[in-house]
Amino acid sequence: MRRVVPRRLLTFIVVALLSATSIDRAAPPAVDTYCNPIDVLLADPFIFHEGDTYYLYGTAAGDGLLVWTSKNLVDWQLRGYAFQRSRQTWSRHSFWAPELFAHKGKYYLHFTAVGRDSSRRIVLAEADSPLGPFREAKAPWFDPGQSVIDSDVFRDDDGALYLYSVYIDTPAVRHFELNVRRLDDQLNVVGEPALCIQPSEKWEGGWVNEGPFVMKHDGVYVLTYSGVGYKSADYSVGIAWAKS
């Protein structure tokens, strides 16, 4: 089943939650308003939490991916490039939608990029620290023979890893659809992709499902995603759930 939350409303909720950590530091406001204290400009934000530090990644640079750190989710410090292209890297431009996870004592940053052959694929990079520098480990991570974007890695209760991503347009089907593939312990994709969802709801506009993020709540698998497309004023966030 699916539900939709207008993206503008979701942004307000997120900003309010992030801003709440600063309330006890200021005098009671004279009016019932607040000012967003987060001085970071980026798109596609992802936050990784370890120890007492939050690490923020997102779409913000043309030649790689930057990282910020914070102790309170309000005050952020730019720490430089987590990953930066070089003459040797497969990744060339259009870096976006990074996420990070830890596995076997290493940190893995995965993101969308356009490579040497002008294809748009998912890249997996490895480092010893969430700050990097990250080095390409699998570039591209896998090649489905068509453009693929917006990766998300979910670890289930039994430790199994699943890679969600968005396949874009085939000659036969002109739309974005969300697929999932298993990962083995060496982070190789296993088996054929399984379809999660494709645009079928009226609000989705018949074309775009993108930006997947999966979590588990009370034994139910919950998928959040964006629909319609970012160029539309109706760009919104949807919620879908399943038993597997």
Side-chain angles (χ1 to χ4, degrees), residues 102-158:
H103 182 65
K104 288 191 168 183
K106 297 285 187 178
Y107 298 91
Y108 292 91
L109 186 71
H110 52 100
F111 52 89
T112 302
V114 172
R116 292 178 178 275
D117 58 0
S118 298
S119 64
R120 192 180 305 278
R121 299 290 188 269
I122 305 300
V123 174
L124 180 69
E126 180 186 82
D128 296 320
S129 164
L131 295 175
F134 282 85
R135 305 165 298 279
E136 289 180 338
K138 300 179 187 296
W141 197 346
F142 62 98
D143 191 349
Q146 65 191 91
S147 293
V148 58
I149 64 172
D150 294 355
S151 53
D152 174 56
V153 172
F154 170 74
R155 188 187 302 273
D156 209 343
D157 297 334
D158 61 359

Side-chain angles (χ1 to χ4, degrees), residues 91-106:
S91 308
R92 304 312 302 160
H93 63 85
S94 301
F95 297 88
W96 74 53
E99 291 192 8
L100 184 140
F101 66 98
H103 182 65
K104 288 191 168 183
K106 297 285 187 178

Side-chain angles (χ1 to χ4, degrees), residues 188-203:
N188 299 307
V189 296
V190 178
E192 295 299 314
L195 177 66
C196 295
I197 58 172
Q198 58 189 16
S200 60
E201 303 293 322
K202 183 177 180 181
W203 71 269

Side-chain angles (χ1 to χ4, degrees), residues 52-99:
D52 63 350
T53 302
Y54 298 91
Y55 300 85
L56 170 64
Y57 310 85
T59 305
D63 59 348
L65 294 160
L66 301 170
V67 57
W68 290 257
T69 59
S70 173
K71 300 294 185 182
N72 59 11
L73 290 174
V74 176
D75 304 300
W76 293 93
Q77 177 186 1
L78 178 61
R79 304 297 296 272
Y81 283 89
F83 175 87
Q84 189 171 23
R85 73 177 180 208
S86 70
R87 292 182 178 180
Q88 288 73 44
T89 58
W90 179 89
S91 308
R92 304 312 302 160
H93 63 85
S94 301
F95 297 88
W96 74 53
E99 291 192 8

